[in-house]
Amino acid sequence: MSSPRTRADACPGVLAPHDAADGALARVRLPGGVVTAAQLRVLAGSAEELGDGAVHLTSRGNLQLRGLSREDPRFEQRLRSAGLLPSSTHERVRNVLASPLSGVDGGLADVRGLARELDARLCAVPALAGLPGRFLFALDDGRGDVAAERPDLCWRATGPDQGVLLVAGEPTTVGCPVAEAPALLVAAAEVFLTLRTQEPGCGAWRASEIPDAPARIARALAGPAGGPAAADPRADGDGDDPHLGSGTVGNRPLPSSTVDHGPALVVAPVLGEVSAAQLRALAASATEVIVTPWRTVVLADPGPGAAERLHAAGLRTPDDPALRISACAGRPGCAKSHADVRGDVRDLLAAATDLPRAHVVGCERRCGAPHGPHLDVVAQPDGTYRIDDLRVPDLSALDRT
């Protein structure tokens, strides 16, 4: 259990953006990561005309725009018209992951469409607007991809039509059929809110911050809300079909099949940053795409010429060496950063031929660090970088690590 929270959760949204050094930062929630071609075009125009010209992928399968103006109402208006802001009250709590290849390749059950249903159910319960902005839901089709992100509440398939509730990554004794998964997750979220108020001074943002949360939520749900689980979800080989673009599951490398998923096409932008032109190329390549929590984009049903079009636009496949490097926003977007880390990384990528997995950050907060093993590269106040415990003058040392 973490220490009690002493401040309110200030996770950004569209209606409550974060004031960064380069302007307002707004986070657009995409339940299940799904975004249509029409919505991509709206986002491209908004990034170009109202922001810094790009859309940034997040570690929760959402999107961020930077360089916005709080005083300009056009961004909010455009998102509402595009269906990207269906609720003002529940905007920041619509954090829902779903296995992005479900129904396309692998998995035990098909969870397509369930994120949309869960989103609607969340927004229909007024009390759930009180969930913290960092609270995370997930629907895992049994392969263990989004479950590995340790969401607060996760339904994970144990068979074609049955699954179990996980709380803070731990399996419970509560399960239900796949069609009932959204209702079960909403009921569990209501229990979390009740437990949150029962912890003196807790103010928990995450289920892991409540003592014995898995057992307590399971006890509260026992009965009509859920029955016993069909099987322990760990029994089917956790990580045998790992998530896209993560680099590792535990200490095991991703298999080569990660890039080849039958009809589906998987692409990724360098540093998780998608330009307006790349957004339009995606929109021209499929009727909808799925943004994953590993800063990749899945086209489940790509149109003719999609691979060539996206490659020409500068999007990469997940095995591209350039994607081994991730970075925080850095200067000028973040006033706390000691360096323009993204500019430094781009210079490195232009010259380097082989790189280790590394995350480059502008200060000791290490924002955006990936879950898997990686080198920790931190900018120092004197303009140098620290690679784990080694001080180096610049990032070129990564090419020799």
Side-chain angles (χ1 to χ4, degrees), residues 86-87 89-91 93-94 118-126 128:
S87 172
T89 54
H90 291 65
E91 180 215 348
V93 306
R94 301 170 58 242
L118 174 56
D119 183 34
R121 286 179 175 271
L122 285 174
C123 294
V125 180
L128 293 183

Side-chain angles (χ1 to χ4, degrees), residues 154-390:
C154 175
W155 181 92
R156 179 173 174 182
T158 55
D161 189 49
Q162 193 70 24
V164 66
L165 175 69
L166 279 65
V167 176
E170 297 296 323
T172 72
T173 57
V174 177
C176 71
V178 61
E180 298 174 17
L184 177 61
L185 290 171
V186 165
E190 292 179 287
V191 175
F192 166 82
L193 283 180
T194 299
L195 296 179
R196 186 175 186 245
T197 62
Q198 293 173 354
E199 294 296 321
C202 179
W205 294 353
R206 309 297 306 273
S208 60
E209 297 167 8
I210 293 180
D212 203 21
R216 293 169 71 183
I217 290 176
R219 283 196 298 269
L221 293 174
D232 187 324
R234 295 169 295 189
D236 57 28
D238 217 1
D240 288 342
D241 187 6
H243 47 69
L244 301 171
S246 66
T248 62
V249 172
N251 292 319
R252 295 194 298 275
L254 283 168
S256 59
S257 62
T258 302
V259 185
D260 181 11
H261 292 286
L265 177 63
V266 184
V267 296
V270 175
L271 295 178
E273 187 175 305
V274 192
S275 69
Q278 289 172 333
L279 289 170
R280 293 189 176 101
L282 286 166
S285 300
T287 56
E288 69 177 26
V289 304
I290 302 168
V291 178
T292 82
W294 313 293
R295 296 184 173 91
T296 55
V297 180
V298 174
L299 289 74
D301 188 20
E308 294 78 8
R309 180 185 300 110
L310 298 179
H311 176 74
L315 292 167
R316 316 291 182 95
T317 55
D319 58 348
D320 192 298
L323 302 180
R324 296 174 189 162
I325 307 295
S326 55
C328 72
R331 290 180 180 170
C334 178
K336 292 183 171 63
S337 178
H338 300 306
D340 176 9
V341 295
R342 287 177 173 253
D344 291 346
V345 168
R346 288 192 174 92
D347 290 343
L348 172 68
L349 294 176
T353 56
D354 188 25
L355 293 167
R357 185 71 181 95
H359 185 62
V360 185
V361 294
C363 72
E364 295 293 343
R365 295 186 303 163
R366 297 175 174 83
C367 293
H371 292 301
H374 62 277
L375 290 177
D376 208 19
V377 185
V378 184
Q380 304 298 297
D382 62 1
T384 65
Y385 278 93
R386 191 181 73 246
I387 302 178
D388 287 346
D389 294 327
L390 175 69

